[in-house]
Amino acid sequence: QGQLVESGGGSVESGGSLRLSCVLAEHIYDSYVLGWSRQVPGKEREGIAGLDKNGRTSYAASVEGRFTISQDSAKNTIYLQMNDLKPEDSGTYYCAADLLGDATSMVATSLSSFGLWGQGTQVTVSS
């Protein structure tokens, strides 16, 4: 059993919506800064959403206004609601956690040496 387990990927047409889920091990959910990253073909993995223990969020410019990160503490789960999806959003989406940093750093920088990734879930958006 992984410490970060994503689900919810799939195929959708342009303009559609998907919601990704990530169930985290309790000790990670309680102590780490959390977020979502993605890797699109031909590019490096990039942080797109961050969430810290104070509930502050941060988003990459490419997804702000369309994607929303949220959490359910009773389920040790974070979500990524993705609306108005575009073909360029296609890629592999990863749940991420880091012992250091904050919501902003989850988007702006690479994870620290304490960072963790899930196994990834594929999102395909057709035009």
Side-chain angles (χ1 to χ4, degrees):
Q1 185 80 21
Q3 299 188 92
L4 294 80
V5 181
E6 303 101 332
S7 62
S11 298
V12 65
E13 292 186 351
S14 182
S17 298
L18 284 172
R19 189 177 79 158
L20 306 182
S21 300
C22 176
V23 180
L24 300 106
E26 185 173 1
H27 72 282
I28 294 174
Y29 182 85
D30 287 343
S31 302
Y32 283 57
V33 183
L34 306 174
W36 291 92
S37 298
R38 73 181 178 191
Q39 187 164 21
V40 301
K43 295 187 177 181
E44 293 186 357
R45 185 156 45 188
E46 61 170 345
I48 57 172
L51 173 68
D52 68 19
K53 294 297 112 178
N54 294 310
R56 285 186 291 258
T57 60
S58 183
Y59 297 94
S62 58
V63 307
E64 185 142 30
R66 300 187 297 124
F67 291 11
T68 303
I69 186 171
S70 62
Q71 61 185 325
D72 184 338
S73 58
K75 298 180 179 179
N76 297 334
T77 298
I78 62 169
Y79 304 96
L80 186 67
Q81 177 67 43
M82 306 186 292
N83 298 328
D84 190 24
L85 282 160
K86 305 175 181 181
E88 53 265 39
D89 293 318
S90 297
T92 304
Y93 283 70
Y94 298 89
C95 181
D98 204 339
L99 199 54
L100 303 178
D102 56 22
T104 300
S105 65
M106 292 298 286
V107 173
T109 66
S110 300
L111 298 189
S112 76
S113 57
F114 299 101
L116 301 169
W117 301 104
Q119 82 284 358
T121 186
Q122 185 68 32
V123 171
T124 302
V125 184
S126 59
S127 58

